[in-house]
Amino acid sequence: MTDPYKVLGVSRDASDDDIKQAYRKLARKYHPDNFATDDTARSMAEEKMKEINEAYDAIQNDRKNGRSYGSAGSSTSDTSYNRNTYITVRSYINAGRIGEADSLLEGISNADRGAEWYFLKGCVCASKGWNFEAMNHFSRACSMDPSNMEYRAALNNMQRGAGSYNRGYTTTTSNDCSGCDICTSLLCADCLCECCGGDLIRCC
Amino acid sequence: MFGYIKPMTEELKVKEHELYKSIYCGLCSAMGEHICTSNRLTLSYDIVFLALVRCCVTGENIHIEKKRCMAHPVKPRNRAYIPETLRYCARVSALLTFYNVKDDVEDGGKLSSKLLLPSAKRYMKKADMPDLGEMIKAHLDELSSLEKENGSLDRNADCFGRLLGEVFACGLENAELYNFGYHIGKWIYITDAADDFEKDKKSGEYNPLSAYETLPREALGIASTLELEAAYTSFDRLEHKNQVLKAIIENILTLGMPSVSHKVTGDNK
């Protein structure tokens, strides 16, 4: 397979935001909607689009799973048995064998679960798209071992990911415009009244 | 369903708002036509959203007429006719209403749901989509057993997501549309759990977050935003055959739904 970073035209150390932007730009350009009239161009665009989507997914997966899992954890409280298990878990996560990684983690008793356990559990959850639990586990790992940069990075990564989507929304409504709120409430009330046969706002 | 999926109306163009309202009206009348007049009271914004997305993907022709109805006997309103899409949405809505009411009754729920059950049963028969009904039932059964096990929020949301994925993609054989529905479903489940948190705490009803003393706002906010982002990425990849509908859906995904998340998980609740 071709290098996904080349497909999107970004460098390997580009930030997540840059990658997303590059992806969106290309996706807009090659979207089959733009070639509705020309069948050959359209099928070529569809192919290109597929390639772009695959590249984007590949990078996303890489980054989700590959946040430097290679390094063994620095947690000192864990027993050596667990440390070996954690190395295996990391290699499973890297290989995308999430189910096996999860059952290995679940095999560790509650009392032995240190910061690294919560971090790895968070990674497993994040790979499945279970973001709520992932957040909780990452936060827990960070509070148990505040000096660990790997755990901190995982937590920041999720916060940043969500932040970039919300930006558009918060800038338009950051001043909590109460006039808009009134309009929305009135429209809702209008709809409710209309359901029951009445009408609050004549013109709509 | 829940009615969380609304556009931010003040950011819609006039023509987009007009189209939205006429599809709302069209769906209401389709529910009356295919199911039953009383069923029209269960119309929700979420089903309107389903109609918008399916119509945008299939590109079915929208025909608009001015019509009067019981709710608006004096002034005629624009009503959209999109036969295939709206028939499907009316049926889905009837099925969801039925299983919702039935669930309530089985949990020893309110008197109102007991009274509603016979008519809900009629809606289900009228919907006449046994396969889809079975699918919905299987997922809702799975969900209620997960809820009884006190499973995690994400596990439940995943189950509800699969249900909505099927509902969005049913009959269209479109994997991306399934993905889109899956993330929308997860978002709805998370939002609903957060929204009902205080209420359920008081009444002692089931809530997937009941293990928490206070609402875990940050984690919920991030989890729901990431679902929206995934849904938006999926939507970008779909084929959009109607640009006005596309603009409405983008408004809902980038403004309407985030504002609900914000309200539900924000501090100024």
Side-chain angles (χ1 to χ4, degrees):
Chain A
M1 189 186 154
T2 40
D3 180 2
Y5 289 90
K6 265 191 197 142
V7 175
L8 295 189
V10 290
S11 67
R12 272 184 183 277
D13 46 10
S15 73
D16 288 354
D17 274 357
D18 290 342
I19 289 173
K20 212 174 282 167
Q21 265 181 9
Y23 166 71
R24 288 253 153 87
K25 211 167 138 196
L26 285 172
R28 293 249 151 82
K29 187 170 165 195
Y30 291 106
H31 200 288
D33 284 359
N34 302 338
F35 306 92
T37 47
D38 183 347
D39 279 346
T40 25
R42 187 186 166 85
S43 62
M44 278 164 78
E46 269 166 8
E47 210 131 284
K48 182 80 186 164
M49 191 70 193
K50 212 172 129 213
E51 198 186 354
I52 297 166
N53 286 342
E54 274 166 9
Y56 181 69
D57 287 340
I59 296 177
Q60 290 294 312
N61 281 336
D62 263 15
R63 296 206 161 193
K64 217 187 240 174
N65 298 328
R67 290 179 213 118
S68 64
Y69 293 148
S71 65
S74 57
S75 168
T76 46
S77 59
D78 295 319
T79 61
S80 61
Y81 163 72
N82 281 342
R83 201 167 305 143
N84 284 335
T85 318
Y86 290 152
I87 293 172
T88 325
V89 169
R90 280 168 191 267
S91 65
Y92 279 158
I93 297 177
N94 274 336
R97 292 155 72 179
I98 302 303
E100 286 157 274
D102 199 18
S103 52
L104 262 185
L105 282 174
E106 285 303 319
I108 294 174
S109 70
N110 259 329
D112 290 336
R113 293 177 181 180
E116 189 172 11
W117 188 89
Y118 284 100
F119 166 70
L120 290 174
K121 184 76 182 173
C123 296
V124 166
C125 289
S127 307
K128 286 196 282 192
W130 294 17
N131 297 315
F132 176 70
E133 271 175 58
M135 270 300 289
N136 286 339
H137 290 308
F138 286 147
S139 309
R140 178 117 186 222
C142 284
S143 64
M144 286 169 97
D145 186 357
S147 60
N148 189 305
M149 294 317 285
E150 188 184 18
Y151 308 163
R152 179 75 46 198
L155 186 63
N156 288 344
N157 204 14
M158 289 197 77
Q159 289 163 333
R160 249 204 331 272
S164 67
Y165 187 77
N166 266 343
R167 213 175 294 140
Y169 159 68
T170 39
T171 47
T172 51
T173 55
S174 55
N175 49 359
D176 260 354
C177 166
S178 57
C180 294
D181 288 351
I182 294 171
C183 283
T184 332
S185 320
L186 275 174
L187 281 171
C188 289
D190 183 36
C191 290
L192 278 173
C193 286
E194 283 169 8
C195 278
C196 308
D199 199 357
L200 188 65
I201 309 170
R202 267 291 133 90
C203 58
C204 76
Chain B
M1 286 206 286
F2 311 89
Y4 291 120
I5 308 185
K6 284 181 280 194
M8 189 182 265
T9 4
E10 61 267 31
E11 297 284 345
L12 284 176
K13 280 186 190 164
V14 173
K15 67 173 174 183
E16 292 160 5
H17 194 198
E18 283 299 322
L19 182 61
Y20 185 81
K21 283 192 297 182
S22 55
I23 291 178
Y24 188 92
C25 176
L27 180 59
C28 181
S29 84
M31 285 165 82
E33 182 190 338
H34 297 294
I35 312 293
C36 166
T37 307
S38 67
N39 184 40
R40 295 164 85 159
L41 295 170
T42 65
L43 172 62
S44 86
Y45 289 112
D46 302 338
I47 302 290
V48 180
F49 181 67
L50 175 68
L52 298 177
V53 173
R54 286 190 53 119
C55 183
C56 182
V57 171
T58 58
E60 195 183 347
N61 196 26
I62 305 178
H63 169 69
I64 293 184
E65 267 179 44
K66 274 210 179 294
K67 288 273 184 184
R68 289 192 180 83
C69 68
M70 273 197 303
H72 312 105
V74 184
K75 208 169 104 187
R77 315 200 152 211
N78 284 335
R79 182 185 297 173
Y81 288 90
I82 327 170
E84 284 294 318
T85 306
L86 292 186
R87 192 179 61 207
Y88 174 76
C89 293
R91 289 168 152 187
V92 166
S93 165
L95 288 173
L96 289 173
T97 306
F98 168 68
Y99 287 111
N100 211 348
V101 171
K102 190 172 135 248
D103 238 34
D104 239 24
V105 171
E106 277 167 7
D107 291 347
K110 295 154 285 181
L111 182 65
S112 58
S113 6
K114 283 183 190 148
L115 291 174
L116 267 175
L117 191 63
S119 40
K121 237 180 215 151
R122 213 173 54 239
Y123 300 161
M124 196 245 332
K125 291 222 177 79
K126 276 272 201 167
D128 194 28
M129 292 184 89
D131 292 352
L132 191 71
E134 277 304 308
M135 187 281 297
I136 294 178
K137 184 174 180 310
H139 280 88
L140 289 179
D141 284 350
E142 186 189 340
L143 184 61
S144 73
S145 70
L146 285 176
E147 288 183 342
K148 287 203 179 87
E149 273 171 33
N150 252 332
S152 75
L153 176 71
D154 284 320
R155 190 187 293 270
N156 300 353
D158 170 72
C159 178
F160 193 73
R162 280 182 277 125
L163 166 65
L164 272 218
E166 300 278 0
V167 165
F168 270 83
C170 178
L172 299 179
E173 308 278 324
N174 187 330
E176 201 60 62
L177 191 57
Y178 174 89
N179 276 339
F180 177 76
Y182 172 75
H183 293 296
I184 297 290
K186 280 177 82 183
W187 180 88
I188 294 179
Y189 194 88
I190 295 172
T191 308
D192 189 48
D195 193 23
D196 288 346
F197 181 75
E198 297 292 338
K199 194 188 87 201
D200 291 342
K201 191 136 232 162
K202 272 190 205 125
S203 67
E205 269 178 67
Y206 171 81
N207 187 299
L209 295 167
S210 55
Y212 292 86
E213 276 294 306
T214 55
L215 195 63
R217 295 179 192 284
E218 196 202 4
L220 283 171
I222 286 175
S224 57
T225 305
L226 289 174
E227 291 313 327
L228 275 186
E229 163 137 52
Y232 190 58
T233 306
S234 262
F235 181 69
D236 251 359
R237 290 177 181 185
L238 287 167
E239 201 175 336
H240 315 110
K241 294 187 177 154
N242 184 322
Q243 296 306 311
V244 184
L245 285 179
K246 182 186 172 202
I248 302 175
I249 296 165
E250 278 183 346
N251 170 303
I252 295 176
L253 290 174
T254 59
L255 298 167
M257 291 166 78
S259 77
V260 173
S261 288
H262 185 72
K263 200 181 102 211
V264 166
T265 61
D267 291 321
N268 52 352
K269 196 183 170 183

